[in-house]
Amino acid sequence: AQSVTQPDARVTVSEGASLQLRCKYSSSVTPYLFWYVQYPRQGLQLLLKYYSGDPVVQGVNGFEAEFSKSNSSFHLRKASVHWSDSAVYFCAVSMKAGGYKVVFGSGTRLLVSP
Amino acid sequence: GGIITQTPKFLIGQEGQKLTLKCQQNFNHDTMYWYRQDSGKGLRLIYYSITENDLQKGDLSEGYDASREKKSSFSLTVTSAQKNEMAVFLCASSNPAGGNQAPLFGEGTRLSVL
């Protein structure tokens, strides 16, 4: 069965600094991978997704993620964060063999300090 | 564009009460999901449905029933509300057959049990 680990519960970065949020997955085959963002009292918004091909995928608002099969990872990055990026970020995984069941990590709360 | 509508937005129940949450989507998506999110925590899958009249249990299905009588709707029933229970229930849908494996989310139903 697939699973997702986000090892950092909280990350604090200064505005303008670069960002990396970590995600490790466990799956018998290469899964579909997603990053979502959740702002306070809202649902989840899709940032980006990886299905196959180029391991670096671009998303909205300057976010990108890199898939690594050898490391079973799908880390999220941003070159320069803005205070409005403060939110909770979730990594998720899905597999066709599982009927496209989607499993989420526990989330990373990002705080961007001025 | 489409939308996922969850009703009600807020639900206050009594201990032991049976409570029903509803979700409608107009994306014409095949797959729908129900997740539970406790305060400051990640998402746990309760039920998902690959197509109309299909039901698949998630990791948290005990204490819940679900129903998918139409492609566009997916309802969730809390069979016996627990005292002081507070959580947000998130509905999502996706279209894997159409190449859209990433679920899109509604705004959530916030449950409080007195």
Side-chain angles (χ1 to χ4, degrees):
Chain A
Q2 69 263 38
S3 66
V4 179
T5 301
Q6 294 181 248
D8 304 307
R10 291 175 182 267
V11 169
T12 300
V13 296
S14 299
E15 190 167 22
S18 63
L19 168 72
Q20 177 172 277
L21 301 182
R22 296 184 292 164
C23 173
K24 298 270 286 184
Y25 68 89
S26 173
S27 172
S28 55
V29 297
T30 298
Y32 303 106
L33 293 156
F34 317 107
W35 274 100
Y36 288 83
V37 60
Q38 186 178 36
Y39 297 102
R41 307 185 73 79
Q42 293 187 22
L44 275 68
Q45 299 173 29
L46 181 67
L47 277 178
L48 47 77
K49 56 192 176 186
Y50 175 80
Y51 295 164
S52 64
D54 189 336
V56 179
V57 291
Q58 304 296 321
V60 297
N61 295 333
F63 285 96
E64 68 175 27
E66 183 166 7
F67 166 69
S68 171
K69 185 173 183 178
S70 59
N71 294 323
S72 297
S73 67
F74 188 55
H75 300 330
L76 182 71
R77 303 189 299 231
K78 187 171 184 179
S80 176
V81 296
H82 186 263
W83 64 267
S84 59
D85 293 324
S86 296
V88 181
Y89 291 80
F90 292 98
C91 182
V93 61
S94 175
M95 287 171 50
K96 181 178 180 179
Y100 298 107
K101 171 182 177 180
V102 182
V103 175
F104 283 78
S106 54
T108 297
R109 182 174 297 275
L110 173 66
L111 176 62
V112 179
S113 60
Chain B
I3 191 170
I4 296 175
T5 303
Q6 291 188 238
T7 55
K9 288 190 180 349
F10 299 93
L11 182 56
I12 298 175
Q14 301 289 332
E15 183 182 13
Q17 192 176 2
K18 180 185 286 189
L19 303 167
T20 298
L21 293 68
K22 295 185 182 297
C23 178
Q24 294 266 352
Q25 53 94 4
N26 63 359
F27 290 104
N28 199 34
H29 284 172
D30 288 318
T31 304
M32 296 187 73
Y33 309 81
W34 276 109
Y35 290 90
R36 173 181 168 129
Q37 185 176 31
D38 292 276
S39 181
K41 302 286 180 62
L43 279 68
R44 290 184 288 174
L45 182 63
I46 306 172
Y47 271 96
Y48 65 111
S49 168
I50 297 171
T51 188
E52 184 178 331
N53 292 319
D54 173 75
L55 290 175
Q56 306 286 332
K57 290 185 177 181
D59 299 323
L60 198 66
S61 61
E62 188 170 337
Y64 301 94
D65 288 327
S67 174
R68 181 96 184 271
E69 294 177 358
K70 292 192 305 182
K71 185 177 182 179
S72 61
S73 66
F74 193 28
S75 63
L76 180 72
T77 297
V78 180
T79 56
S80 179
Q82 301 299 303
K83 188 175 175 63
N84 297 324
E85 181 177 9
M86 287 181 65
V88 177
F89 292 84
L90 292 168
C91 176
S93 71
S94 68
N95 188 25
N100 295 319
Q101 286 83 358
L104 302 177
F105 281 81
E107 292 290 306
T109 292
R110 298 177 188 284
L111 171 66
S112 295
V113 181
L114 305 178

